[in-house]
Amino acid sequence: MRLFLTVVSVEEAIATVRRIAPPPGVASVPLANSLCRVLANEVTADIDIPGFPRSTVDGYAVTAADTTGASESQPAMLNFRGTISMGVQPSFGISHDECAYLPTGGILPGGSDAVVMVEHAERLDTLVLIQRPVAPGENVISKGEDFPKGAPVLVKGHLLRSQDMGVLAAIGIATVQVFSLPRIGIISTGNELVPVDAIPDLGQVRDVNASMIGGFIADHGAVPQYYGILPDVPHQVRETLVRASGECDAVILSGGSSKDLRDICAKVVGEIGEVLVHGIALQPGKPTIIGRVGRVPVIGLPGHPASAFIVLRVLVKPLLEAMTGRSFPDRVVRATLTQNIPSSRGREDYVRVQLEGGNVTPLFGKSGLVNTLVRSDGMVRVPAASEGFEQGEEVEVILW
Amino acid sequence: MRLFLTVVSVEEAIATVRRIAPPPGVASVPLANSLCRVLANEVTADIDIPGFPRSTVDGYAVTAADTTGASESQPAMLNFRGTISMGVQPSFGISHDECAYLPTGGILPGGSDAVVMVEHAERLDTLVLIQRPVAPGENVISKGEDFPKGAPVLVKGHLLRSQDMGVLAAIGIATVQVFSLPRIGIISTGNELVPVDAIPDLGQVRDVNASMIGGFIADHGAVPQYYGILPDVPHQVRETLVRASGECDAVILSGGSSKDLRDICAKVVGEIGEVLVHGIALQPGKPTIIGRVGRVPVIGLPGHPASAFIVLRVLVKPLLEAMTGRSFPDRVVRATLTQNIPSSRGREDYVRVQLEGGNVTPLFGKSGLVNTLVRSDGMVRVPAASEGFEQGEEVEVILW
């Protein structure tokens, strides 16, 4: 049993997970289910949008030249030709000195090139008095002005928001080609673990990590698949890892944080695949494993929930970004330290902190305490080259 | 047909939707499905967590007093009593001058009160040399230290994140009581509207708003229910609104922006329920309707997608916040205006803008252009008391 691990830097660990992350596949989803999905290809307008010149106001379609110089005291007088209904092609065109009423969104009749708002006109039986001039094209969306046929509308890799769903509707995309959601297996290991609905016997604890990891995966654009709790028995871990790596796009192992167990996980990954990293210059989270079985990345998290959560943020987030095509930028605020944060050079420290007003206080609680996950508001990163931060310094807080 | 609406202020409109919003109900969901749900009641620890004193390191359980003054040159010599396995109750206790090996997470044997890290000890057959002193409680989580039995852990109204799901697992909550997801009906009206998968005839346009509204609802913690496209025929709108208000917690009407249609919607809402607001001092979005049928809020959005999107942000967001128990704070950045934004006093203007570096440029495009929804990065609010902003001013941009 080795007492010490050969550690790599956090940068190297992140580069490793990015390198082994399988790129996302492609799936078809109905437009109504496309929120927060990522476009798998560029989308273009199938037709000119709109397919006809359209009024943007309720008013009178006119030939703009007929309104030149019109004012309230000297209105232009036009002959009223009729009313155009919504969604219906006009049955007539207009000539000079003629006009037609149409609603917002209505089709301009032939011969017209602008619309006078109803507020700036007065109808007197068969005559309409136009009280303001309009320029050609005024209050009109011309054919293809919104999206001309064939024009690129949204690029590959775009994350779909509600307004994008409206735009996809406009260009006729009822079924959207998006990146598929990666499926991530979760295996909890540890002789001491019992399910959430059990009352632990002496020495046992409930499996905290599977629920936390599953939530993290769902929150980062992927689908968790649970493989339950395994005892620290190599052949059982091996069998389940073989199955999970056959069914999933990546697998996260977690549980029991004893050195023995870490050896079991690394040993099993090494037997059926390869261990790329075993140990990261990261506190907490040093005993993390990065490996793969075939082309399926396998991450071994430390068992302490608070440590596991830091590794999810630091290492699993970039893995899921690469696998989903999404990015999950950290929310960062600046605040003033109320206490020193000492650190060792050569290792990145992530210290859970509480924020209050503009002040930030480190929670130096034992990393085995689950309660620091809910008592903390975020974390402060101490870079590997730093020996820590001093009370009164302004630091960046990465919010949960 | 009235040409002008009686408008209320944006503040009054928001207060109205908050007042009529039905409070969320309660639902039970499995812990694994509880991400982004809101706790419907306070949760407490069912038992002491942990239920036993637990080591936070791999090392030797000792009586702290036995290690006083220990150093590498003058180690304390303790008798080795055995190894405690993970998840197993120790079969022995220790006395003074004795110790036992245990893994991280292991139960401390009776008689011990601290753990010496394995790195600070050396085992020589039946003797263990302790090279550093430990204080009582060091490297130990005591019984109930994480969450004492009965202690409040998360409050009612708390939005569940992945780390909270871990904490709920720790305290044995396999089924979570959360606020139910409100169901919001979506009715598109307009003679000119065709479904997304249709090729529009001359004068027709695809229904953009239903997809955009559905995405917005899903993005704000609620469930969209689609009632399709209706022509501007009062009895059809009435029948569908009656059905939707029986099946949903709120209904959003949208479509066709002609004055005639607005009248149809307001008329129908008034016939089977009550119209509370018809017209808001808001640009774009003035012709918005707020009403209710029974206890079910009904919002009538303008048909222009860009206008409808502003009203979703300004008015439907606070409605959904009240109905879900969640809050959706705006992301705001400050930037310098590259152009004047003129505005009318007495009305709130929301101007779609593009951000580039620290500069913000208004998109004064026609509000009927759907493309401004994807070309813009956010909006600038011009308060009712302001006549606008000048080029070079720093303004707040509310990001999409």
Side-chain angles (χ1 to χ4, degrees), chain A residues 6-84:
Chain A
T6 309
V7 300
V8 303
S9 69
V10 171
E11 288 71 19
E12 190 176 333
I14 291 173
T16 302
V17 298
R18 289 211 173 111
R19 182 168 54 78
I20 65 174
V26 177
S28 293
V29 296
L31 175 58
N33 299 342
S34 67
L35 185 72
C36 290
R37 300 300 293 265
V38 178
L39 276 183
N41 47 37
E42 183 185 76
V43 292
T44 55
D46 65 333
I47 51 172
D48 280 325
I49 312 280
F52 54 91
R54 211 179 171 210
S55 178
T56 63
V57 296
D58 298 335
Y60 293 92
V62 298
T63 307
D66 288 347
T67 68
T68 309
S71 66
E72 287 194 35
S73 55
Q74 288 204 306
M77 276 183 285
L78 303 180
N79 294 307
F80 180 68
R81 277 299 312 274
T83 292
I84 294 162

Side-chain angles (χ1 to χ4, degrees), chain A residues 7 44 60 73 89 130 139 165 206 215-216 220 228 308 343 354:
Chain A
V7 300
T44 55
Y60 293 92
S73 55
Q89 185 169 0
I130 303 296
N139 297 323
M165 292 166 67
R206 294 182 178 121
F216 190 88
H220 289 79
S343 171
Q354 284 183 318

Side-chain angles (χ1 to χ4, degrees), chain A residues 1 3-4 31-32 35-36 46-47 49-52 54-58 86-90 101 103-105 107 118-119 137-142 145-147 153-154 158 161-174 190-192 196-209 211-220 224 226 232 256-260 262 304 309 312 366-374 376-377 400, chain B residues 1 3-4 31-32 35-36 46-47 49-52 54-58 86-90 101 103-105 107 118-119 137-142 145-147 153-154 158 161-174 190-192 196-209 211-220 224 226 232 256-260 262 304 309 312 366-374 376-377 400:
Chain A
M1 189 169 104
L3 273 183
F4 301 104
L31 175 58
L35 185 72
C36 290
D46 65 333
I47 51 172
I49 312 280
F52 54 91
R54 211 179 171 210
S55 178
T56 63
V57 296
D58 298 335
M86 197 61 183
V88 172
Q89 185 169 0
Y101 180 81
T104 304
I107 307 183
V118 69
E119 289 88 338
E138 194 164 335
N139 297 323
V140 176
I141 295 175
S142 59
E145 182 177 347
D146 212 343
F147 299 105
V153 173
L154 294 170
H158 184 77
R161 307 160 298 171
S162 53
Q163 62 266 46
D164 301 318
M165 292 166 67
V167 168
L168 292 176
I171 61 173
I173 299 186
N191 290 334
E192 79 283 19
V196 175
D197 56 4
I199 301 292
D201 277 342
L202 200 62
Q204 297 181 327
V205 293
R206 294 182 178 121
D207 179 11
V208 167
N209 282 3
S211 299
M212 180 177 74
I213 296 167
F216 190 88
I217 287 168
D219 206 18
H220 289 79
Y226 299 92
D232 299 326
S257 53
S258 76
K259 279 222 166 46
D260 316 72
R262 283 207 308 269
H304 274 159
F309 190 66
L312 287 173
K366 299 156 183 166
S367 69
L369 288 178
V370 176
N371 71 42
T372 61
L373 285 174
V374 287
S376 57
D377 301 302
W400 295 147
Chain B
M1 187 171 105
L3 273 185
F4 302 104
L31 175 56
L35 184 73
C36 290
D46 64 334
I47 51 172
I49 311 279
F52 53 92
R54 208 177 175 212
S55 179
T56 63
V57 296
D58 299 336
M86 196 63 183
V88 173
Q89 185 169 0
Y101 180 82
T104 305
I107 308 184
V118 69
E119 291 86 338
E138 194 164 334
N139 298 324
V140 175
I141 294 174
S142 59
E145 182 178 348
D146 211 344
F147 300 104
V153 174
L154 293 171
H158 183 77
R161 307 158 299 170
S162 53
Q163 62 267 46
D164 301 318
M165 292 166 67
V167 167
L168 292 176
I171 61 174
I173 299 185
N191 290 334
E192 79 283 20
V196 175
D197 55 4
I199 302 292
D201 277 340
L202 198 63
Q204 297 181 327
V205 293
R206 293 182 178 122
D207 179 10
V208 167
N209 283 3
S211 299
M212 180 176 75
I213 296 165
F216 190 88
I217 287 168
D219 206 19
H220 290 78
Y226 298 92
D232 299 326
S257 52
S258 76
K259 278 223 165 49
D260 315 72
R262 283 206 309 268
H304 275 160
F309 189 67
L312 287 172
K366 299 156 183 168
S367 70
L369 287 178
V370 176
N371 71 41
T372 61
L373 285 174
V374 287
S376 57
D377 301 301
W400 295 147

Side-chain angles (χ1 to χ4, degrees), chain B residues 284-309:
Chain B
K286 181 177 165 188
T288 298
I289 298 163
I290 305 174
R292 55 179 167 181
V293 174
R295 300 218 147 266
V296 174
V298 178
I299 310 290
L301 297 188
H304 275 160
S307 308
F309 189 67

